[in-house]
């Protein structure tokens, strides 16, 4: 079986917008969601700014029962459930409390960690010999698959229910795994996405690695600077993104809105060989991933209108551009537009790919290219690789047909998805 796979629902819980409408408006206007974080300052973090979704208790209570909220202490699960359920509703699908599961629908919803604050709370209880006071919610909030389990229970999903975890490639990978499930006829609908916890216990390790910027604590919105000559490290972020993938046959049968189509993609690893390490990409693997994604999608490099890059505001940005250039083998003047959402939301770790895929689908469906902010002083090295016009710093309104989205993660792992504007 070889089903066409389309996107019929979007949901997002991002630092610069926790509804689809807010998020769309923010990315079009280059609005940052990066803020000063008093807790990071109090803990003497080098980087005291971060991107964190702003949610009211009232908003959260719309997605969880009072019993669930009583002991809920996992920001990643909260973000994931909100994005996931919003995507489901956006697809025009109902949430019903039926006795029978929906055997044709499932979820692959990724995470890097789960319930790290809950886990710390539990450790303190054990250290204080209060193990009997842990309660019954510790396991479901700290198990890696907690987010997909919560979502599945709320939607009654009866097909594959899994949580994938591939560092910063998690979100893009979840979409490709869900795509394959539908393409091969094993499912009709799949909710794909990923989430990432917020707070010092998830961000502290990166601060200790000295990969986060420390130069913009006094001006948070200027801190995340992908492709900038003055980029000095990434700004940590958090949140979740979700997409409903569905067979074209099913979407047409129920007259669903179709945002775009997944043409294919590729997932690979550099094996931490050559120039690849636990934290650095193997350029050969990155280039192979991009080339294989194009081949799998059945398109030529010249057909790509926009690249939504990984581009984290580190020294690896120029290497990523060089890898795209080598993989696509296009003349400089034909290089596509390329942008990075991380200037507005920071690096949302495991959630980065899914949030950025939501932004990519909005670009495709609405016909715009969001601006790259904070790179007015474009990297000198990047200028030698591609024309400056390929890196728009203001909103561009124009039709887009094909968009390539890639994510590269710790462990030397890569994922590249090819999206296309839907045509019958």
């Amino acid at each position: 079986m070889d089903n066409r796979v389309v996107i019929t629902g979007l949901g997002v819980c991002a630092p610069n917008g926790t509804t689809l409408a807010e998020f769309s408006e923010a990315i079009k206007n280059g609005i940052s969601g990066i803020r000063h974080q008093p807790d990071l300052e109090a803990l003497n973090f080098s980087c005291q700014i971060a991107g964190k979704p702003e949610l009211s208790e009232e908003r959260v209570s719309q997605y969880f029962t009072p019993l669930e909220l009583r002991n809920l202490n996992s920001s990643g699960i909260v973000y994931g459930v909100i994005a996931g359920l919003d995507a489901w509703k956006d697809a025009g699908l109902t949430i019903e409390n039926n006795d029978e599961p929906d055997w044709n629908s499932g979820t692959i919803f990724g995470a890097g960690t789960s319930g790290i604050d809950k886990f710390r709370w539990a450790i303190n209880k054990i250290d204080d010999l209060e193990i009997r006071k842990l309660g019954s919610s510790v396991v479901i909030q700290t198990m890696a698959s907690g987010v997909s389990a919560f979502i599945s229970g709320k939607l009654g999903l009866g097909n594959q229910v899994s949580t994938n975890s591939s560092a910063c490639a998690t979100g893009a990978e979840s979409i490709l795994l869900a795509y394959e499930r539908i393409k091969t006829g094993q499912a009709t609908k799949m909710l794909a996405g990923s989430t990432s916890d917020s707070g010092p216990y998830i961000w502290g390790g990166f601060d200790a690695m000295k990969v986060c910027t420390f130069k913009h604590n006094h001006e948070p919105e200027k801190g995340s600077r992908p492709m900038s000559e003055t980029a000095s490290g990434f700004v940590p972020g958090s949140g979740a993104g979700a997409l409903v993938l569905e067979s074209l046959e099913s979407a047409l049968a129920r007259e669903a809105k179709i945002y775009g189509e997944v043409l294919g993609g590729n997932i690979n690893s550099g094996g931490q060989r050559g120039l690849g390490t636990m934290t650095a990409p193997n350029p050969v693997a990155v280039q192979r991933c991009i080339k294989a994604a194009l081949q799998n999608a059945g398109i030529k490099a010249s057909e790509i209108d926009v690249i939504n890059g990984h581009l984290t505001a580190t020294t690896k940005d120029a290497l990523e551009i060089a890898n795209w250039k080598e993989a696509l083998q296009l003349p400089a003047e034909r290089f596509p537009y390329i942008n990075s959402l991380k200037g507005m939301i920071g690096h949302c770790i495991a959630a980065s790919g899914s949030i950025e895929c939501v932004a990519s689908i909005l670009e495709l469906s609405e016909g715009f290219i969001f601006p790259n902010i904070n790179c007015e002083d474009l990297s000198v090295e990047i200028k030698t690789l591609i024309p400056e016009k390929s890196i728009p710093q203001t909103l561009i309104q124009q039709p887009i047909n094909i968009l390539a989205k890639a994510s590269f993660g710790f462990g030397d792992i890569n994922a590249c998805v090819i999206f296309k504007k839907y045509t019958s």
Side-chain angles (χ1 to χ4, degrees):
M1 191 170 288
D2 192 14
N3 292 319
R4 287 176 67 182
V5 181
V6 294
I7 297 141
T8 55
L10 299 173
V12 69
C13 190
N16 64 345
T18 62
T19 67
L20 200 56
E22 289 175 356
F23 181 68
S24 178
E25 189 68 15
I27 66 174
K28 288 174 184 174
N29 292 286
I31 296 173
S32 173
I34 297 171
R35 305 282 182 268
H36 176 256
Q37 304 294 324
D39 55 345
L40 302 188
E41 181 179 8
L43 290 166
N44 293 315
F45 273 49
S46 296
C47 180
Q48 299 169 6
I49 59 177
K52 182 178 177 181
E54 296 182 349
L55 295 166
S56 66
E57 290 184 10
E58 181 183 5
R59 175 84 187 283
V60 174
S61 69
Q62 296 172 15
Y63 299 81
F64 296 90
T65 67
L67 181 60
E68 289 170 335
L69 287 171
R70 189 180 303 169
N71 295 301
L72 189 61
N73 189 21
S74 172
S75 56
I77 286 175
V78 170
Y79 302 150
V81 168
I82 289 174
L85 268 60
D86 281 359
W88 198 254
K89 293 174 185 174
D90 183 54
L93 300 168
T94 57
I95 300 174
E96 300 175 5
N97 189 20
N98 297 329
D99 290 335
E100 190 85 356
D102 180 352
W103 302 116
N104 296 314
S105 301
T107 185
I108 298 177
F109 214 97
T113 59
S114 183
I116 197 163
D117 285 321
K118 187 73 173 181
F119 194 64
R120 178 178 178 273
W121 174 87
I123 289 172
N124 285 341
K125 284 287 184 185
I126 292 172
D127 287 346
D128 293 338
L129 302 179
E130 294 182 344
I131 190 168
R132 295 184 183 277
K133 295 183 180 180
L134 286 181
S136 60
S137 67
V138 171
V139 172
I140 58 174
Q141 290 187 54
T142 58
M143 65 185 188
S145 58
V147 63
S148 60
F150 262 91
I151 289 171
S152 173
K154 290 183 177 296
L155 299 179
L157 304 178
N159 206 279
Q160 180 178 356
V161 173
S162 301
T163 293
N164 66 306
S165 188
S166 296
C168 310
T170 298
E173 180 186 76
S174 72
I175 292 165
L176 287 171
L177 295 174
Y179 161 78
E180 286 293 339
R181 189 83 180 165
I182 298 169
K183 183 179 176 66
T184 56
Q186 298 178 78
T188 302
K189 303 180 193 75
M190 292 293 292
L191 179 63
S194 62
T195 188
S196 187
D197 287 304
S198 63
Y201 302 107
I202 183 69
W203 296 329
F206 298 105
D207 199 75
M209 289 175 69
K210 301 187 185 303
V211 294
C212 298
T213 183
F214 61 89
K215 296 183 177 181
H216 300 275
N217 292 333
H218 62 294
E219 48 180 5
E221 294 181 1
K222 297 290 185 183
S224 184
R225 309 183 64 80
M227 297 183 284
S228 162
E229 182 66 22
T230 52
S232 54
F234 73 76
V235 174
S238 56
L243 300 86
V244 174
L245 274 59
E246 185 171 356
S247 71
L248 176 60
E249 182 181 12
S250 171
L252 292 177
R254 63 185 192 87
E255 299 182 339
K257 175 182 178 179
I258 297 176
Y259 284 99
E261 184 171 1
V262 183
L263 289 185
N266 185 252
I267 302 166
N268 80 355
S269 169
Q272 300 176 47
R273 298 296 188 267
L275 296 178
T277 68
M278 180 63 76
T279 58
N282 178 339
V284 175
V286 170
Q287 294 164 28
R288 285 176 64 93
C289 182
I290 295 167
K291 291 176 184 177
L294 301 187
Q295 183 176 6
N296 181 258
I299 66 164
K300 299 176 182 177
S302 58
E303 296 180 77
I304 298 174
D305 298 306
V306 181
I307 297 167
N308 187 316
H310 188 59
L311 298 166
T312 58
T314 64
T315 55
K316 300 300 180 184
D317 285 3
L319 175 60
E320 180 178 337
I321 298 290
N323 285 331
W324 279 106
K325 184 178 179 182
E326 179 64 26
L328 299 182
Q329 288 290 299
L330 293 171
E333 66 274 10
R334 297 279 302 280
F335 195 86
Y337 289 112
I338 187 166
N339 55 12
S340 172
L341 192 65
K342 291 181 179 70
M344 299 183 221
I345 64 173
H347 190 346
C348 295
I349 322 298
S352 60
S354 59
I355 295 174
E356 291 161 16
C357 281
V358 171
S360 297
I361 297 304
L362 288 172
E363 288 183 293
L364 263 182
S365 64
E366 298 182 21
F368 70 91
I369 302 168
F370 66 76
N372 291 286
I373 69 169
N374 298 332
C375 70
E376 59 279 354
D377 57 337
L378 194 61
S379 158
V380 173
E381 186 176 355
I382 290 175
K383 284 182 183 180
T384 67
L385 296 169
I386 60 173
E388 290 188 51
K389 66 180 178 63
S390 292
I391 307 171
Q393 297 186 40
T394 58
L395 176 70
I396 295 176
Q397 298 273 8
Q398 72 174 50
I400 300 169
N401 189 44
I402 292 180
L403 184 149
K405 168 66 195 140
S407 296
F408 312 114
F410 277 11
D412 198 9
I413 45 182
N414 313 301
C416 182
V417 192
I418 308 298
F419 296 116
K420 183 180 184 296
K421 188 174 183 66
Y422 170 71
T423 52
S424 58

